[in-house]
Amino acid sequence: MKMTKPQPSKSGPVPEIYARRESAVRSYARAMPRQFTRAEGVWMHDSAGGRYLDFLSGCSTLNYGHNHPVLKQALLDYIAADGITHGLDLHTDAKADFLDALESLILRPRGLEYRAMFTGPTGTNAVEAAIKLARKVTGRELIIAFSNGFHGMTLGALACTGNAQKRGGAGVPLSHVSHEPYDGYHGPDVDTAALLEQRLSDPSSGLDAPAAFIVETVQGEGGLNAASAEWLRRIAEIAKQHGALLIIDDIQAGCGRTGGFFSFEESGVKPDIVTLAKSLSGMGLPFALTLFRPELDIWSPGEHNGTFRGNNHAFVTAAATLRHFWANPEFVEGVRERSDLLEHRLARIAARHGLSTRGRGMMRGIDMGSGENASAVTTACFDRGLIIETSGPHDEIVKVLAPLTIDTDVFEAGLDILETAVGDVLSQSYGVAAE
Amino acid sequence: MKMTKPQPSKSGPVPEIYARRESAVRSYARAMPRQFTRAEGVWMHDSAGGRYLDFLSGCSTLNYGHNHPVLKQALLDYIAADGITHGLDLHTDAKADFLDALESLILRPRGLEYRAMFTGPTGTNAVEAAIKLARKVTGRELIIAFSNGFHGMTLGALACTGNAQKRGGAGVPLSHVSHEPYDGYHGPDVDTAALLEQRLSDPSSGLDAPAAFIVETVQGEGGLNAASAEWLRRIAEIAKQHGALLIIDDIQAGCGRTGGFFSFEESGVKPDIVTLAKSLSGMGLPFALTLFRPELDIWSPGEHNGTFRGNNHAFVTAAATLRHFWANPEFVEGVRERSDLLEHRLARIAARHGLSTRGRGMMRGIDMGSGENASAVTTACFDRGLIIETSGPHDEIVKVLAPLTIDTDVFEAGLDILETAVGDVLSQSYGVAAE
Amino acid sequence: MKMTKPQPSKSGPVPEIYARRESAVRSYARAMPRQFTRAEGVWMHDSAGGRYLDFLSGCSTLNYGHNHPVLKQALLDYIAADGITHGLDLHTDAKADFLDALESLILRPRGLEYRAMFTGPTGTNAVEAAIKLARKVTGRELIIAFSNGFHGMTLGALACTGNAQKRGGAGVPLSHVSHEPYDGYHGPDVDTAALLEQRLSDPSSGLDAPAAFIVETVQGEGGLNAASAEWLRRIAEIAKQHGALLIIDDIQAGCGRTGGFFSFEESGVKPDIVTLAKSLSGMGLPFALTLFRPELDIWSPGEHNGTFRGNNHAFVTAAATLRHFWANPEFVEGVRERSDLLEHRLARIAARHGLSTRGRGMMRGIDMGSGENASAVTTACFDRGLIIETSGPHDEIVKVLAPLTIDTDVFEAGLDILETAVGDVLSQSYGVAAE
Amino acid sequence: MKMTKPQPSKSGPVPEIYARRESAVRSYARAMPRQFTRAEGVWMHDSAGGRYLDFLSGCSTLNYGHNHPVLKQALLDYIAADGITHGLDLHTDAKADFLDALESLILRPRGLEYRAMFTGPTGTNAVEAAIKLARKVTGRELIIAFSNGFHGMTLGALACTGNAQKRGGAGVPLSHVSHEPYDGYHGPDVDTAALLEQRLSDPSSGLDAPAAFIVETVQGEGGLNAASAEWLRRIAEIAKQHGALLIIDDIQAGCGRTGGFFSFEESGVKPDIVTLAKSLSGMGLPFALTLFRPELDIWSPGEHNGTFRGNNHAFVTAAATLRHFWANPEFVEGVRERSDLLEHRLARIAARHGLSTRGRGMMRGIDMGSGENASAVTTACFDRGLIIETSGPHDEIVKVLAPLTIDTDVFEAGLDILETAVGDVLSQSYGVAAE
């Protein structure tokens, strides 16, 4: 019989080794104090026998669920046959196969002639490569990033990130980046693209000529703010007019999370540079990619490198995702249907409680008004076996990042838990407020 | 019958997809134009049926050879059982098991009470975390790095890296780091530790008070320069006197490459912070670790994070390396013996041709006097089926980074090829010079 | 008979030494190729016997005209008596006398308890001292400056300056400053103070916590944009709420140019730090001053110094200005009357030609719509003996910076020249446009 | 009757206004709590009738003594005739006259074809202009400065300054400068030029390609360290080989302090850029100058400017110094004689007490071994009416900066006071040590 409902354990025995040996920097483990042992599809299992429905999906790293059988089998076969696991940037059949699939199934159908750069296999490495390249190509230093943007934790990417707590970890001033208001940042009446254009066109604004704009179409960490297609086109145009490259950081919103393989497809924008990571391998293996127009490929050999820049296991599973999911129109249609369901369900919850929703595609959330409320909701969900997390400048957005492949009935079951939790939290807080 | 000799293919059919779609930044693939398909132990196989002996070992990422059967089986079992592949920083049994092994087999026996921080799984991420933490703890900005040091490609780590080509890729000035002469940099008569101490003790030297020193005990990319134990102790003492933390970047020299698990063991130095990556997973999977004294663990939750900060596949194979190799005194003894063999063979080659050797343990090389000569040697080796590369400011050092587990007869066979290649190259160049 | 009209020379013999020996960086001398020899009040005389009416006043450095007899005599007496000319920061009777006058005639009547810091005698030095102090007091790095702001040419002050040509001279990226839109920058419908407040209040905007705001009440170089009193009060309040100091750079707008001694008096704002220079000595002698609340005076002795930090000649003439002009209510009233006259005359010119005016007090200009038009106007004026210059991002503002003490009939005569020149230039350009 | 001996007042009435209104940043005034009223030649007079012999000379700003009658008269005449006091960078007869004298009396006789840039009239402004120009010309960012160098307090110049207290005032990290060991810094056995050359020639040293070297031939603030002519020539050669410009900061050592007009004359080095200030006006008036080879004059008009960039009063007195002193061989000879006297007297004091001397020309000092001893000596001198100060990283050098024009008998009288003070201090401290 198919599982549709989670069965959380009361509490998990969590080994003492974590407190003794793992750095205090760990975060998600604090809110979900279980020891997980096994996962498949939308389900995670803990060491006490509990079963959890995963609406976090590794922050959009597991768009196809945990350990998808097709990807898993491809990887097992590769390992069993002693496929190359590590080969620096040497040619391997796994890499060639991935590039073939990328070209034929993703790039060509979309009219994109990108070159692929395999950076170190984390999103922040892909971003660092992107901004280095933009600076190298243009001979300029400044990057225009946007409010609430999140681009990574290494020094170059962190400078592009808006979050003050993350920035505070740098220990040095973060330079060569200007953070401009994102679409809608100053409310519906202020056209933030126009503000930016005015400053860039003014030789006395103090804003230097930029090497690049770096932008997310939907801000995964920054609160699920979704830029309009019109705004994205304006930003692309402004970048072009001012000699800046357009980098779309598609690490969280790409790989189908908003519907298309790239999140910018429906806007018609063709970025100069694109960064991908998270769900690229499909199975959660470390993998990152920086794509760019071939004319920009002015790297000298090894000018940007890294030990793990070719993760062959990830090539294998990534190629399998492209063939299994992206070559299949039903998959794309299915994501659209689930996305509509999610939009509908969240709108209903929001309407009932006078809240607002955020996001686009399968990357949506609900604004709980405060981090306290949002945290109460995610705790209430976890107690019922639903893994879900918050986002936004004050962690005030409860975000739903369910696998794109989730069955409708399971999806509904999870959203039922969320709906109940929101109701419980708000009635309690009203109760508190009324006293 | 056991293979002891390589059988290179004449040339490999290399798919056109690379030229069409992979960035020009690729490097090793240029010198070794083959498509590799399979590897085990010290051997790599190409698509044309060729067999190559690997003395590059993923730049010290494959200290136990390719796809070691023990590690491979552990990983296959874990995947087959639907073990957690990706779980952000949630607790998993794989992580607990790795931490247990790290504590009991590595840290406790060496009297080290480090906390472990799982950074994004690349060396540069581990370095970025280390320097952030040092700046945060001390409230200072400056990092002291050393000539010929290599620490990574993201902006913070790149600032610590000496290589001008790599630095040139930044596109912005690299700040907050001072590069000081490494041990022996100015020849045997200049005590570089004393030079540094004088400047740090002088309130008018212009050298600001540093947050940390970051140093490799043997400089893998910088030319296999090995610091003396005495110099390392001096540097550790100077750091302490001046309120700076000592970071040992053990990404290339650690995990047994110089004999002990940590490369600093024989010096007696106990660093404040240690970075590990490369051979940590044992199988070449992306994995990085920043270790530090528990008193330094002042991170707030999530202050430095990253999507792939817990690579569970790597936890599995890393734990297996600790149990299979590091719990076994015969392994350590075997490395020592191979290291002696390597030292002896390189010394013989050097003596014959009036060259000098570099390095320590299983991380040694021979100074060919010029990048041209060194490149000619590695090409001559590759033509005979030996994969080997260069290092150093002018790529003038041919470096031997054979697996630590290599059989003696195979090791000798590979060194025979190297010896022949050196002789051939030098006789030719003498020949050229004589004309 | 009193002179009221200029008598320019046809052209001036300009010695060849300038072309041979003075750097190409010289600027005003290019548009006014005369050799000047003598000046008194509003008049400058050239070596060919020409007489020019000065509506530039050393960019507001000569608010009391050239070589005012009272100041001149005070200086002659001091020099003749062998008064201290240079004494580093030693106490001198000239310095004590200036401080007494400053305290009794300026600070106390305005309820300001500032300490005076004698920086190197240029405006940029005063600004550097101000921003250093703000960073030292707050422990923060970021300075908020404003679009079109001008604060000086040394590296710290230049980073606060908006003009792209000036910034381009730095040769290094200008860091630690964010340039925000000034009052009215985005048109009458966008409240730029509100935009700034939103970003500072948002922990994810990417705008770091600032050490200080630095602002001009009227932007002398940036186009004579005048902030409203309301906006200044809002900015002061926002600074306070966010733990930032408010620096008013009163170098060009202060010393009576807008009416009061300080340009911020009528807004009621009491800045934490004020910079003064230009007309402070009254006679055009190099002199600069950084004033700040006594609680901020955490400098250690000599922590910021400079050879010429006490210019005793300037102390003498500055004290004389305070006693002769600022102790005299008629002077203040006279400035108000001339300011009204200026406002009226410029409004009339603007109305006639469909132009707009800018500025406040005796610091006003007319927007000619383009740098070409503005330059044609100033050239036409100079040909008639009126020295006048442009300002603004495109040099499109013709600015009137007449001495505050100018006689009404002379003032009118100068404005007549300006009016004629504007008419001539526009009719010509209409002519051109009509063809 | 000629004065040869000082007559200090017991203590000076110092007005309370200083404590109430002058910033705590004041420094010299603390050690010499008198109010000075009048000065001529080598003598300063206080408000209580005391008379002091000045061996500080405004830190080498008063090389011709206070208010030299020739300079004073020239200035009085100019002011009385309503000469232009302030004219931005307009041509004036005073400027032309100064440029003529500079060309004919200084530049041409020395074979130097420099262009003159009139920066803001402080040394730090001249340095900022110099490093900006070097960066602009070379397209590089890094400046090589030297240990114990002092170049000014604004952000660009401060980054070139070695002193930690001064640097600490910046409040932001000081970037784009590397501080290298000066001549003799590491003792007589370490060739610091060779150390630098090795690092610049090594593409992996981590030292980026520099825009310029900035160096003082004698370090006025840094402890009167004098570079050898041989070292200066080596540094000039290394700069040239590596495409860097050589800036000699001659602000303190120039204008005759070491004998020649420029301090680098006897080394034969011809710098690309020279900065001058301090004694340039001769009378202590604010004045600074950046000189450079005409090929480097790529400034666009106004790209670096400043309100007081033409101080006409200083032009007048500066031209007078060139004509009165530098056109006169007896003056130069006289400086040489006094320099020999100073060298001889300091050597005698040093020999008697086992101390060492420092410096060159009329810029010499004695190393008292500690800041405490040096401070005791200067206090003891001031009590006897001799104004003299310290220098060096620990303020351990008592420096003699007497006017170049001082009469021999007065010079001897001052040195007698110094000799006595040194003896007194050391006998006391021996006494203390013996207890």
Side-chain angles (χ1 to χ4, degrees), chain D residues 268-284:
Chain D
V269 164
K270 296 200 173 178
D272 299 292
I273 306 180
V274 181
T275 56
L276 290 173
K278 289 194 183 280
S279 276
L280 188 58
S281 82
M283 207 170 135

Side-chain angles (χ1 to χ4, degrees), chain D residues 93-398:
Chain D
D93 51 357
K95 188 198 281 189
D97 190 53
F98 168 72
L99 284 171
D100 279 333
L102 181 73
E103 180 182 67
S104 62
L105 298 174
I106 302 296
L107 299 181
R108 289 219 165 128
R110 289 162 180 81
L112 299 167
E113 287 300 323
Y114 293 139
R115 290 268 172 89
M117 175 178 178
F118 300 108
T119 67
T122 75
T124 196
N125 295 49
V127 168
E128 294 263 346
I131 62 182
K132 270 188 184 180
L133 184 62
R135 286 166 168 158
K136 190 175 162 72
V137 165
T138 61
R140 301 173 177 179
E141 289 102 358
L142 186 74
I143 305 289
I144 301 281
F146 291 90
S147 55
N148 286 297
F150 183 94
H151 302 286
M153 289 289 105
T154 51
L155 215 57
L158 182 55
C160 299
T161 293
N163 186 285
Q165 186 224 11
K166 308 295 187 205
R167 293 173 68 81
V172 290
L174 294 169
S175 300
H176 317 309
V177 176
S178 185
H179 294 262
E180 300 298 317
Y182 193 72
D183 190 18
Y185 184 77
H186 288 305
D189 296 335
V190 178
D191 175 352
T192 59
L195 298 187
L196 178 56
E197 181 164 33
Q198 183 180 345
R199 293 174 67 217
L200 285 172
S201 302
D202 175 358
S204 199
S205 68
L207 192 61
D208 295 324
F213 293 8
I214 186 165
V215 64
E216 300 157 287
T217 65
V218 185
Q219 298 183 312
E221 298 303 302
L224 298 178
N225 310 298
S228 70
E230 168 61 19
W231 188 84
L232 287 172
R233 285 190 294 267
R234 287 283 306 284
I235 287 294
E237 196 182 331
I238 295 168
K240 195 169 182 183
Q241 276 170 4
H242 293 279
L245 301 181
L246 178 66
I247 304 169
I248 290 204
D249 181 343
D250 228 15
I251 291 173
Q252 186 155 164
C255 299
R257 180 52 63 184
T258 64
F261 185 81
F262 296 112
S263 73
F264 51 81
E265 291 175 24
E266 58 194 60
S267 74
V269 164
K270 296 200 173 178
D272 299 292
I273 306 180
V274 181
T275 56
L276 290 173
K278 289 194 183 280
S279 276
L280 188 58
S281 82
M283 207 170 135
L285 302 176
F287 190 21
L289 197 55
T290 303
L291 300 169
F292 37 81
R293 289 193 291 110
E295 304 80 40
L296 306 179
D297 192 14
I298 61 170
W299 290 111
S300 63
E303 194 173 5
H304 178 100
N305 60 15
T307 294
F308 298 114
R309 64 191 178 277
N311 182 0
N312 283 278
H313 286 191
F315 289 147
V316 170
T317 58
T321 67
L322 301 185
R323 298 219 167 83
H324 185 72
F325 299 108
W326 291 98
N328 178 2
E330 284 175 27
F331 165 74
V332 176
E333 176 59 19
V335 175
R336 212 186 48 69
E337 286 167 10
R338 287 177 197 92
S339 169
D340 290 346
L341 168 62
L342 176 60
E343 180 176 19
H344 171 72
R345 289 291 306 261
L346 291 185
R348 195 174 75 185
I349 300 174
R352 181 165 308 165
H353 300 288
L355 305 172
S356 65
T357 63
R358 302 282 182 85
R360 189 155 70 85
M362 282 291 277
M363 191 176 187
R364 294 179 194 263
I366 193 154
D367 184 344
M368 294 302 302
S370 75
E372 289 69 29
N373 278 352
S375 172
V377 166
T378 58
T379 301
C381 287
F382 188 69
D383 290 344
R384 288 169 176 87
L386 180 67
I387 292 173
I388 190 167
E389 266 293 349
T390 61
S391 161
H394 303 281
D395 296 320
E396 75 276 27
I397 311 294
V398 174

Side-chain angles (χ1 to χ4, degrees), chain A residues 84-88 90, chain B residues 4-7 28 32 36 38-45 51-67 257 362 381-382 384-389 399-407 410-411 413-415 417:
Chain A
I84 306 292
T85 300
H86 185 277
L88 295 163
L90 291 176
Chain B
T4 58
K5 298 207 174 151
Q7 293 182 336
Y28 291 110
M32 300 182 238
F36 294 95
R38 196 163 53 82
E40 82 285 344
V42 299
W43 301 104
M44 295 189 79
H45 305 271
R51 188 176 75 218
Y52 300 81
L53 181 51
D54 185 3
F55 273 23
L56 176 54
S57 298
C59 288
S60 201
T61 303
L62 297 163
N63 282 356
Y64 317 103
H66 291 268
N67 296 323
R257 179 54 60 186
M362 283 290 278
C381 288
F382 187 71
R384 290 169 176 85
L386 180 67
I387 293 173
I388 189 165
E389 265 294 348
K399 68 177 171 182
V400 179
L401 292 174
L404 307 182
T405 53
I406 191 170
D407 281 351
V410 180
F411 201 12
L415 291 167
I417 294 174

Side-chain angles (χ1 to χ4, degrees), chain B residues 102-229:
Chain B
L102 181 73
E103 181 182 68
S104 62
L105 297 174
I106 302 297
L107 299 181
R108 290 220 164 126
R110 288 162 180 80
L112 298 168
E113 288 300 322
Y114 293 138
R115 289 267 173 88
M117 175 177 178
F118 300 110
T119 66
T122 75
T124 196
N125 295 49
V127 168
E128 294 263 346
I131 63 181
K132 272 190 184 179
L133 184 62
R135 285 166 169 159
K136 189 175 163 70
V137 166
T138 61
R140 301 173 176 177
E141 288 102 359
L142 186 74
I143 305 290
I144 301 281
F146 292 91
S147 55
N148 285 297
F150 182 94
H151 302 285
M153 289 291 104
T154 53
L155 214 57
L158 183 55
C160 299
T161 293
N163 185 285
Q165 185 223 13
K166 309 295 187 203
R167 295 173 67 82
V172 290
L174 294 168
S175 300
H176 317 309
V177 176
S178 185
H179 294 263
E180 302 297 319
Y182 193 72
D183 190 19
Y185 184 76
H186 287 305
D189 297 335
V190 177
D191 176 353
T192 59
L195 298 187
L196 178 55
E197 181 163 34
Q198 182 180 345
R199 293 173 67 216
L200 285 172
S201 301
D202 175 357
S204 198
S205 68
L207 191 61
D208 295 324
F213 292 10
I214 186 165
V215 63
E216 299 158 287
T217 65
V218 185
Q219 299 183 312
E221 297 304 302
L224 298 178
N225 311 298
S228 70

